[in-house]
PDB file of all heavy atoms in Angstrom:
ATOM      1  N   TYR A 138     -20.310  -1.896  20.888  1.00  0.00           N
ATOM      2  CA  TYR A 138     -20.442  -3.263  21.361  1.00  0.00           C
ATOM      3  C   TYR A 138     -19.105  -3.750  21.885  1.00  0.00           C
ATOM      4  O   TYR A 138     -18.055  -3.472  21.295  1.00  0.00           O
ATOM      5  CB  TYR A 138     -20.909  -4.175  20.222  1.00  0.00           C
ATOM      6  CG  TYR A 138     -22.261  -3.803  19.663  1.00  0.00           C
ATOM      7  CD1 TYR A 138     -22.371  -2.849  18.648  1.00  0.00           C
ATOM      8  CD2 TYR A 138     -23.424  -4.399  20.149  1.00  0.00           C
ATOM      9  CE1 TYR A 138     -23.612  -2.494  18.132  1.00  0.00           C
ATOM     10  CE2 TYR A 138     -24.671  -4.041  19.631  1.00  0.00           C
ATOM     11  CZ  TYR A 138     -24.748  -3.098  18.631  1.00  0.00           C
ATOM     12  OH  TYR A 138     -25.973  -2.748  18.130  1.00  0.00           O
ATOM     13  N   LYS A 139     -19.166  -4.497  22.971  1.00  0.00           N
ATOM     14  CA  LYS A 139     -17.955  -5.075  23.559  1.00  0.00           C
ATOM     15  C   LYS A 139     -17.517  -6.284  22.736  1.00  0.00           C
ATOM     16  O   LYS A 139     -18.326  -7.128  22.374  1.00  0.00           O
ATOM     17  CB  LYS A 139     -18.244  -5.508  24.998  1.00  0.00           C
ATOM     18  CG  LYS A 139     -17.109  -6.284  25.657  1.00  0.00           C
ATOM     19  CD  LYS A 139     -15.944  -5.390  25.973  1.00  0.00           C
ATOM     20  CE  LYS A 139     -14.840  -6.163  26.721  1.00  0.00           C
ATOM     21  NZ  LYS A 139     -14.152  -7.151  25.883  1.00  0.00           N
ATOM     22  N   THR A 140     -16.233  -6.357  22.452  1.00  0.00           N
ATOM     23  CA  THR A 140     -15.694  -7.553  21.809  1.00  0.00           C
ATOM     24  C   THR A 140     -15.593  -8.660  22.852  1.00  0.00           C
ATOM     25  O   THR A 140     -15.135  -8.440  23.971  1.00  0.00           O
ATOM     26  CB  THR A 140     -14.311  -7.286  21.213  1.00  0.00           C
ATOM     27  OG1 THR A 140     -13.421  -6.829  22.238  1.00  0.00           O
ATOM     28  CG2 THR A 140     -14.372  -6.214  20.126  1.00  0.00           C
ATOM     29  N   VAL A 141     -16.014  -9.874  22.488  1.00  0.00           N
ATOM     30  CA  VAL A 141     -16.036 -10.993  23.421  1.00  0.00           C
ATOM     31  C   VAL A 141     -14.755 -11.818  23.325  1.00  0.00           C
ATOM     32  O   VAL A 141     -14.560 -12.787  24.058  1.00  0.00           O
ATOM     33  CB  VAL A 141     -17.290 -11.864  23.173  1.00  0.00           C
ATOM     34  CG1 VAL A 141     -17.377 -13.043  24.125  1.00  0.00           C
ATOM     35  CG2 VAL A 141     -18.553 -11.018  23.318  1.00  0.00           C
ATOM     36  N   ASN A 142     -13.847 -11.447  22.436  1.00  0.00           N
ATOM     37  CA  ASN A 142     -12.562 -12.147  22.260  1.00  0.00           C
ATOM     38  C   ASN A 142     -12.730 -13.558  21.709  1.00  0.00           C
ATOM     39  O   ASN A 142     -11.996 -14.476  22.068  1.00  0.00           O
ATOM     40  CB  ASN A 142     -11.748 -12.172  23.556  1.00  0.00           C
ATOM     41  CG  ASN A 142     -11.342 -10.788  24.011  1.00  0.00           C
ATOM     42  OD1 ASN A 142     -11.169  -9.879  23.200  1.00  0.00           O
ATOM     43  ND2 ASN A 142     -11.209 -10.593  25.313  1.00  0.00           N
ATOM     44  N   ILE A 143     -13.730 -13.715  20.828  1.00  0.00           N
ATOM     45  CA  ILE A 143     -13.859 -14.910  20.005  1.00  0.00           C
ATOM     46  C   ILE A 143     -14.030 -14.430  18.568  1.00  0.00           C
ATOM     47  O   ILE A 143     -14.897 -13.602  18.284  1.00  0.00           O
ATOM     48  CB  ILE A 143     -15.053 -15.792  20.418  1.00  0.00           C
ATOM     49  CG1 ILE A 143     -14.955 -16.183  21.897  1.00  0.00           C
ATOM     50  CG2 ILE A 143     -15.116 -17.043  19.554  1.00  0.00           C
ATOM     51  CD1 ILE A 143     -16.125 -17.031  22.370  1.00  0.00           C
ATOM     52  N   TYR A 144     -13.202 -14.945  17.679  1.00  0.00           N
ATOM     53  CA  TYR A 144     -13.215 -14.565  16.271  1.00  0.00           C
ATOM     54  C   TYR A 144     -13.144 -15.824  15.419  1.00  0.00           C
ATOM     55  O   TYR A 144     -12.625 -16.847  15.858  1.00  0.00           O
ATOM     56  CB  TYR A 144     -11.999 -13.699  15.914  1.00  0.00           C
ATOM     57  CG  TYR A 144     -11.854 -12.412  16.681  1.00  0.00           C
ATOM     58  CD1 TYR A 144     -11.306 -12.397  17.962  1.00  0.00           C
ATOM     59  CD2 TYR A 144     -12.234 -11.195  16.120  1.00  0.00           C
ATOM     60  CE1 TYR A 144     -11.162 -11.212  18.673  1.00  0.00           C
ATOM     61  CE2 TYR A 144     -12.083  -9.999  16.821  1.00  0.00           C
ATOM     62  CZ  TYR A 144     -11.543 -10.015  18.099  1.00  0.00           C
ATOM     63  OH  TYR A 144     -11.394  -8.848  18.789  1.00  0.00           O
ATOM     64  N   SER A 145     -13.628 -15.732  14.179  1.00  0.00           N
ATOM     65  CA  SER A 145     -13.356 -16.773  13.203  1.00  0.00           C
ATOM     66  C   SER A 145     -12.768 -16.117  11.963  1.00  0.00           C
ATOM     67  O   SER A 145     -13.125 -14.984  11.626  1.00  0.00           O
ATOM     68  CB  SER A 145     -14.633 -17.544  12.846  1.00  0.00           C
ATOM     69  OG  SER A 145     -15.579 -16.706  12.200  1.00  0.00           O
ATOM     70  N   PHE A 146     -11.857 -16.846  11.308  1.00  0.00           N
ATOM     71  CA  PHE A 146     -11.167 -16.284  10.148  1.00  0.00           C
ATOM     72  C   PHE A 146     -11.141 -17.269   8.998  1.00  0.00           C
ATOM     73  O   PHE A 146     -10.906 -18.464   9.190  1.00  0.00           O
ATOM     74  CB  PHE A 146      -9.725 -15.904  10.509  1.00  0.00           C
ATOM     75  CG  PHE A 146      -9.621 -14.830  11.550  1.00  0.00           C
ATOM     76  CD1 PHE A 146      -9.091 -15.106  12.791  1.00  0.00           C
ATOM     77  CD2 PHE A 146     -10.063 -13.543  11.292  1.00  0.00           C
ATOM     78  CE1 PHE A 146      -8.995 -14.133  13.768  1.00  0.00           C
ATOM     79  CE2 PHE A 146      -9.985 -12.553  12.260  1.00  0.00           C
ATOM     80  CZ  PHE A 146      -9.446 -12.847  13.504  1.00  0.00           C
ATOM     81  N   SER A 147     -11.366 -16.760   7.798  1.00  0.00           N
ATOM     82  CA  SER A 147     -11.138 -17.536   6.592  1.00  0.00           C
ATOM     83  C   SER A 147      -9.632 -17.633   6.375  1.00  0.00           C
ATOM     84  O   SER A 147      -8.841 -16.894   6.982  1.00  0.00           O
ATOM     85  CB  SER A 147     -11.792 -16.857   5.393  1.00  0.00           C
ATOM     86  OG  SER A 147     -11.211 -15.576   5.165  1.00  0.00           O
ATOM     87  N   LEU A 148      -9.236 -18.542   5.503  1.00  0.00           N
ATOM     88  CA  LEU A 148      -7.804 -18.700   5.235  1.00  0.00           C
ATOM     89  C   LEU A 148      -7.232 -17.449   4.579  1.00  0.00           C
ATOM     90  O   LEU A 148      -6.118 -17.023   4.898  1.00  0.00           O
ATOM     91  CB  LEU A 148      -7.569 -19.924   4.351  1.00  0.00           C
ATOM     92  CG  LEU A 148      -6.109 -20.297   4.074  1.00  0.00           C
ATOM     93  CD1 LEU A 148      -5.334 -20.499   5.366  1.00  0.00           C
ATOM     94  CD2 LEU A 148      -6.039 -21.552   3.204  1.00  0.00           C
ATOM     95  N   SER A 149      -7.985 -16.830   3.679  1.00  0.00           N
ATOM     96  CA  SER A 149      -7.484 -15.625   3.025  1.00  0.00           C
ATOM     97  C   SER A 149      -7.307 -14.482   4.025  1.00  0.00           C
ATOM     98  O   SER A 149      -6.307 -13.748   3.971  1.00  0.00           O
ATOM     99  CB  SER A 149      -8.427 -15.207   1.889  1.00  0.00           C
ATOM    100  OG  SER A 149      -9.746 -15.011   2.374  1.00  0.00           O
ATOM    101  N   SER A 150      -8.254 -14.333   4.949  1.00  0.00           N
ATOM    102  CA  SER A 150      -8.100 -13.309   5.981  1.00  0.00           C
ATOM    103  C   SER A 150      -6.902 -13.602   6.871  1.00  0.00           C
ATOM    104  O   SER A 150      -6.146 -12.687   7.232  1.00  0.00           O
ATOM    105  CB  SER A 150      -9.367 -13.231   6.842  1.00  0.00           C
ATOM    106  OG  SER A 150     -10.459 -12.732   6.109  1.00  0.00           O
ATOM    107  N   TRP A 151      -6.718 -14.867   7.233  1.00  0.00           N
ATOM    108  CA  TRP A 151      -5.597 -15.256   8.084  1.00  0.00           C
ATOM    109  C   TRP A 151      -4.270 -14.940   7.411  1.00  0.00           C
ATOM    110  O   TRP A 151      -3.336 -14.466   8.060  1.00  0.00           O
ATOM    111  CB  TRP A 151      -5.711 -16.736   8.432  1.00  0.00           C
ATOM    112  CG  TRP A 151      -4.599 -17.333   9.239  1.00  0.00           C
ATOM    113  CD1 TRP A 151      -3.919 -18.493   8.969  1.00  0.00           C
ATOM    114  CD2 TRP A 151      -4.043 -16.850  10.471  1.00  0.00           C
ATOM    115  NE1 TRP A 151      -2.991 -18.760   9.936  1.00  0.00           N
ATOM    116  CE2 TRP A 151      -3.042 -17.770  10.875  1.00  0.00           C
ATOM    117  CE3 TRP A 151      -4.297 -15.731  11.267  1.00  0.00           C
ATOM    118  CZ2 TRP A 151      -2.291 -17.601  12.046  1.00  0.00           C
ATOM    119  CZ3 TRP A 151      -3.542 -15.551  12.430  1.00  0.00           C
ATOM    120  CH2 TRP A 151      -2.554 -16.474  12.807  1.00  0.00           C
ATOM    121  N   HIS A 152      -4.159 -15.158   6.102  1.00  0.00           N
ATOM    122  CA  HIS A 152      -2.924 -14.828   5.396  1.00  0.00           C
ATOM    123  C   HIS A 152      -2.643 -13.332   5.462  1.00  0.00           C
ATOM    124  O   HIS A 152      -1.491 -12.914   5.674  1.00  0.00           O
ATOM    125  CB  HIS A 152      -3.007 -15.282   3.936  1.00  0.00           C
ATOM    126  CG  HIS A 152      -2.879 -16.765   3.763  1.00  0.00           C
ATOM    127  ND1 HIS A 152      -3.228 -17.419   2.615  1.00  0.00           N
ATOM    128  CD2 HIS A 152      -2.419 -17.732   4.608  1.00  0.00           C
ATOM    129  CE1 HIS A 152      -3.009 -18.711   2.741  1.00  0.00           C
ATOM    130  NE2 HIS A 152      -2.520 -18.929   3.943  1.00  0.00           N
ATOM    131  N   ARG A 153      -3.669 -12.523   5.301  1.00  0.00           N
ATOM    132  CA  ARG A 153      -3.471 -11.075   5.390  1.00  0.00           C
ATOM    133  C   ARG A 153      -3.113 -10.660   6.816  1.00  0.00           C
ATOM    134  O   ARG A 153      -2.285  -9.764   7.025  1.00  0.00           O
ATOM    135  CB  ARG A 153      -4.729 -10.339   4.910  1.00  0.00           C
ATOM    136  CG  ARG A 153      -5.005 -10.480   3.421  1.00  0.00           C
ATOM    137  CD  ARG A 153      -6.074  -9.507   2.955  1.00  0.00           C
ATOM    138  NE  ARG A 153      -7.367  -9.763   3.585  1.00  0.00           N
ATOM    139  CZ  ARG A 153      -8.277 -10.594   3.108  1.00  0.00           C
ATOM    140  NH1 ARG A 153      -8.042 -11.279   2.006  1.00  0.00           N
ATOM    141  NH2 ARG A 153      -9.441 -10.747   3.729  1.00  0.00           N
ATOM    142  N   ILE A 154      -3.739 -11.305   7.789  1.00  0.00           N
ATOM    143  CA  ILE A 154      -3.440 -10.988   9.189  1.00  0.00           C
ATOM    144  C   ILE A 154      -1.992 -11.334   9.518  1.00  0.00           C
ATOM    145  O   ILE A 154      -1.285 -10.546  10.172  1.00  0.00           O
ATOM    146  CB  ILE A 154      -4.405 -11.740  10.130  1.00  0.00           C
ATOM    147  CG1 ILE A 154      -5.812 -11.151  10.024  1.00  0.00           C
ATOM    148  CG2 ILE A 154      -3.919 -11.680  11.576  1.00  0.00           C
ATOM    149  CD1 ILE A 154      -6.888 -11.989  10.687  1.00  0.00           C
ATOM    150  N   THR A 155      -1.518 -12.502   9.080  1.00  0.00           N
ATOM    151  CA  THR A 155      -0.140 -12.887   9.411  1.00  0.00           C
ATOM    152  C   THR A 155       0.871 -11.947   8.760  1.00  0.00           C
ATOM    153  O   THR A 155       1.922 -11.670   9.348  1.00  0.00           O
ATOM    154  CB  THR A 155       0.142 -14.340   8.987  1.00  0.00           C
ATOM    155  OG1 THR A 155      -0.141 -14.516   7.597  1.00  0.00           O
ATOM    156  CG2 THR A 155      -0.699 -15.313   9.799  1.00  0.00           C
ATOM    157  N   GLU A 156       0.558 -11.456   7.582  1.00  0.00           N
ATOM    158  CA  GLU A 156       1.454 -10.476   6.961  1.00  0.00           C
ATOM    159  C   GLU A 156       1.560  -9.224   7.818  1.00  0.00           C
ATOM    160  O   GLU A 156       2.657  -8.676   8.011  1.00  0.00           O
ATOM    161  CB  GLU A 156       0.942 -10.115   5.563  1.00  0.00           C
ATOM    162  CG  GLU A 156       1.090 -11.229   4.541  1.00  0.00           C
ATOM    163  CD  GLU A 156       0.499 -10.850   3.199  1.00  0.00           C
ATOM    164  OE1 GLU A 156       0.012  -9.689   3.061  1.00  0.00           O
ATOM    165  OE2 GLU A 156       0.514 -11.692   2.275  1.00  0.00           O
ATOM    166  N   ARG A 157       0.432  -8.785   8.355  1.00  0.00           N
ATOM    167  CA  ARG A 157       0.437  -7.590   9.195  1.00  0.00           C
ATOM    168  C   ARG A 157       1.103  -7.882  10.541  1.00  0.00           C
ATOM    169  O   ARG A 157       1.831  -7.027  11.079  1.00  0.00           O
ATOM    170  CB  ARG A 157      -0.995  -7.098   9.406  1.00  0.00           C
ATOM    171  CG  ARG A 157      -1.099  -5.644   9.867  1.00  0.00           C
ATOM    172  CD  ARG A 157      -0.668  -4.665   8.769  1.00  0.00           C
ATOM    173  NE  ARG A 157      -1.460  -4.783   7.567  1.00  0.00           N
ATOM    174  CZ  ARG A 157      -2.508  -4.019   7.276  1.00  0.00           C
ATOM    175  NH1 ARG A 157      -2.892  -3.067   8.132  1.00  0.00           N
ATOM    176  NH2 ARG A 157      -3.158  -4.154   6.127  1.00  0.00           N
ATOM    177  N   LEU A 158       0.871  -9.069  11.081  1.00  0.00           N
ATOM    178  CA  LEU A 158       1.528  -9.450  12.327  1.00  0.00           C
ATOM    179  C   LEU A 158       3.041  -9.463  12.159  1.00  0.00           C
ATOM    180  O   LEU A 158       3.784  -9.022  13.051  1.00  0.00           O
ATOM    181  CB  LEU A 158       1.051 -10.828  12.787  1.00  0.00           C
ATOM    182  CG  LEU A 158      -0.388 -10.931  13.294  1.00  0.00           C
ATOM    183  CD1 LEU A 158      -0.764 -12.398  13.509  1.00  0.00           C
ATOM    184  CD2 LEU A 158      -0.573 -10.161  14.590  1.00  0.00           C
ATOM    185  N   ASP A 159       3.513  -9.970  11.034  1.00  0.00           N
ATOM    186  CA  ASP A 159       4.956  -9.987  10.761  1.00  0.00           C
ATOM    187  C   ASP A 159       5.532  -8.574  10.840  1.00  0.00           C
ATOM    188  O   ASP A 159       6.630  -8.362  11.384  1.00  0.00           O
ATOM    189  CB  ASP A 159       5.235 -10.576   9.375  1.00  0.00           C
ATOM    190  CG  ASP A 159       5.151 -12.090   9.332  1.00  0.00           C
ATOM    191  OD1 ASP A 159       5.249 -12.727  10.397  1.00  0.00           O
ATOM    192  OD2 ASP A 159       4.986 -12.646   8.221  1.00  0.00           O
ATOM    193  N   GLN A 160       4.809  -7.616  10.313  1.00  0.00           N
ATOM    194  CA  GLN A 160       5.280  -6.231  10.332  1.00  0.00           C
ATOM    195  C   GLN A 160       5.392  -5.710  11.767  1.00  0.00           C
ATOM    196  O   GLN A 160       6.374  -5.047  12.123  1.00  0.00           O
ATOM    197  CB  GLN A 160       4.337  -5.355   9.511  1.00  0.00           C
ATOM    198  CG  GLN A 160       4.280  -5.691   8.040  1.00  0.00           C
ATOM    199  CD  GLN A 160       3.203  -4.910   7.305  1.00  0.00           C
ATOM    200  OE1 GLN A 160       2.655  -3.932   7.821  1.00  0.00           O
ATOM    201  NE2 GLN A 160       2.873  -5.339   6.094  1.00  0.00           N
ATOM    202  N   TYR A 161       4.388  -6.004  12.580  1.00  0.00           N
ATOM    203  CA  TYR A 161       4.397  -5.545  13.961  1.00  0.00           C
ATOM    204  C   TYR A 161       5.531  -6.193  14.755  1.00  0.00           C
ATOM    205  O   TYR A 161       6.253  -5.516  15.496  1.00  0.00           O
ATOM    206  CB  TYR A 161       3.052  -5.869  14.635  1.00  0.00           C
ATOM    207  CG  TYR A 161       2.010  -4.789  14.455  1.00  0.00           C
ATOM    208  CD1 TYR A 161       1.490  -4.496  13.194  1.00  0.00           C
ATOM    209  CD2 TYR A 161       1.541  -4.058  15.543  1.00  0.00           C
ATOM    210  CE1 TYR A 161       0.518  -3.523  13.038  1.00  0.00           C
ATOM    211  CE2 TYR A 161       0.576  -3.085  15.394  1.00  0.00           C
ATOM    212  CZ  TYR A 161       0.072  -2.813  14.128  1.00  0.00           C
ATOM    213  OH  TYR A 161      -0.871  -1.838  13.978  1.00  0.00           O
ATOM    214  N   ILE A 162       5.665  -7.500  14.629  1.00  0.00           N
ATOM    215  CA  ILE A 162       6.701  -8.204  15.391  1.00  0.00           C
ATOM    216  C   ILE A 162       8.084  -7.769  14.936  1.00  0.00           C
ATOM    217  O   ILE A 162       8.988  -7.569  15.766  1.00  0.00           O
ATOM    218  CB  ILE A 162       6.538  -9.725  15.260  1.00  0.00           C
ATOM    219  CG1 ILE A 162       5.151 -10.160  15.758  1.00  0.00           C
ATOM    220  CG2 ILE A 162       7.633 -10.448  16.043  1.00  0.00           C
ATOM    221  CD1 ILE A 162       4.819  -9.741  17.167  1.00  0.00           C
ATOM    222  N   SER A 163       8.271  -7.604  13.631  1.00  0.00           N
ATOM    223  CA  SER A 163       9.564  -7.144  13.116  1.00  0.00           C
ATOM    224  C   SER A 163       9.921  -5.763  13.645  1.00  0.00           C
ATOM    225  O   SER A 163      11.101  -5.436  13.835  1.00  0.00           O
ATOM    226  CB  SER A 163       9.547  -7.123  11.582  1.00  0.00           C
ATOM    227  OG  SER A 163       9.391  -8.420  11.057  1.00  0.00           O
ATOM    228  N   ALA A 164       8.894  -4.963  13.916  1.00  0.00           N
ATOM    229  CA  ALA A 164       9.107  -3.614  14.450  1.00  0.00           C
ATOM    230  C   ALA A 164       9.248  -3.622  15.969  1.00  0.00           C
ATOM    231  O   ALA A 164       9.384  -2.555  16.589  1.00  0.00           O
ATOM    232  CB  ALA A 164       7.964  -2.703  14.038  1.00  0.00           C
ATOM    233  N   GLY A 165       9.220  -4.811  16.570  1.00  0.00           N
ATOM    234  CA  GLY A 165       9.389  -4.915  18.014  1.00  0.00           C
ATOM    235  C   GLY A 165       8.132  -4.635  18.825  1.00  0.00           C
ATOM    236  O   GLY A 165       8.201  -4.489  20.050  1.00  0.00           O
ATOM    237  N   ARG A 166       6.991  -4.625  18.165  1.00  0.00           N
ATOM    238  CA  ARG A 166       5.740  -4.293  18.864  1.00  0.00           C
ATOM    239  C   ARG A 166       5.098  -5.565  19.447  1.00  0.00           C
ATOM    240  O   ARG A 166       3.957  -5.913  19.141  1.00  0.00           O
ATOM    241  CB  ARG A 166       4.789  -3.568  17.916  1.00  0.00           C
ATOM    242  CG  ARG A 166       5.344  -2.233  17.434  1.00  0.00           C
ATOM    243  CD  ARG A 166       4.404  -1.510  16.496  1.00  0.00           C
ATOM    244  NE  ARG A 166       3.150  -1.143  17.142  1.00  0.00           N
ATOM    245  CZ  ARG A 166       2.204  -0.403  16.549  1.00  0.00           C
ATOM    246  NH1 ARG A 166       2.384   0.046  15.321  1.00  0.00           N
ATOM    247  NH2 ARG A 166       1.087  -0.122  17.201  1.00  0.00           N
ATOM    248  N   VAL A 167       5.842  -6.239  20.310  1.00  0.00           N
ATOM    249  CA  VAL A 167       5.399  -7.522  20.863  1.00  0.00           C
ATOM    250  C   VAL A 167       4.462  -7.354  22.051  1.00  0.00           C
ATOM    251  O   VAL A 167       3.891  -8.336  22.530  1.00  0.00           O
ATOM    252  CB  VAL A 167       6.619  -8.381  21.277  1.00  0.00           C
ATOM    253  CG1 VAL A 167       7.469  -8.719  20.072  1.00  0.00           C
ATOM    254  CG2 VAL A 167       7.448  -7.668  22.349  1.00  0.00           C
ATOM    255  N   ASN A 168       4.292  -6.129  22.525  1.00  0.00           N
ATOM    256  CA  ASN A 168       3.412  -5.892  23.674  1.00  0.00           C
ATOM    257  C   ASN A 168       2.094  -5.230  23.284  1.00  0.00           C
ATOM    258  O   ASN A 168       1.329  -4.818  24.155  1.00  0.00           O
ATOM    259  CB  ASN A 168       4.132  -5.040  24.727  1.00  0.00           C
ATOM    260  CG  ASN A 168       5.080  -5.877  25.564  1.00  0.00           C
ATOM    261  OD1 ASN A 168       4.665  -6.850  26.193  1.00  0.00           O
ATOM    262  ND2 ASN A 168       6.348  -5.529  25.563  1.00  0.00           N
ATOM    263  N   ASP A 169       1.823  -5.170  21.990  1.00  0.00           N
ATOM    264  CA  ASP A 169       0.529  -4.677  21.546  1.00  0.00           C
ATOM    265  C   ASP A 169      -0.518  -5.781  21.729  1.00  0.00           C
ATOM    266  O   ASP A 169      -0.194  -6.950  21.925  1.00  0.00           O
ATOM    267  CB  ASP A 169       0.583  -4.283  20.068  1.00  0.00           C
ATOM    268  CG  ASP A 169       1.227  -2.924  19.857  1.00  0.00           C
ATOM    269  OD1 ASP A 169       1.682  -2.314  20.849  1.00  0.00           O
ATOM    270  OD2 ASP A 169       1.294  -2.466  18.709  1.00  0.00           O
ATOM    271  N   TYR A 170      -1.774  -5.394  21.645  1.00  0.00           N
ATOM    272  CA  TYR A 170      -2.870  -6.358  21.580  1.00  0.00           C
ATOM    273  C   TYR A 170      -3.176  -6.648  20.115  1.00  0.00           C
ATOM    274  O   TYR A 170      -3.052  -5.750  19.266  1.00  0.00           O
ATOM    275  CB  TYR A 170      -4.116  -5.811  22.264  1.00  0.00           C
ATOM    276  CG  TYR A 170      -3.981  -5.655  23.761  1.00  0.00           C
ATOM    277  CD1 TYR A 170      -3.687  -4.424  24.325  1.00  0.00           C
ATOM    278  CD2 TYR A 170      -4.152  -6.750  24.603  1.00  0.00           C
ATOM    279  CE1 TYR A 170      -3.567  -4.275  25.707  1.00  0.00           C
ATOM    280  CE2 TYR A 170      -4.039  -6.616  25.982  1.00  0.00           C
ATOM    281  CZ  TYR A 170      -3.746  -5.375  26.522  1.00  0.00           C
ATOM    282  OH  TYR A 170      -3.624  -5.240  27.875  1.00  0.00           O
TER     283      TYR A 170
END
């Protein structure tokens, strides 16, 4: 299935996502999707 680029997140999921985003940005991976 094609992703339509609309998502919803609970607060707990968002906290886990931001932790992972921090890791990517700290590693310089600013051009990833």
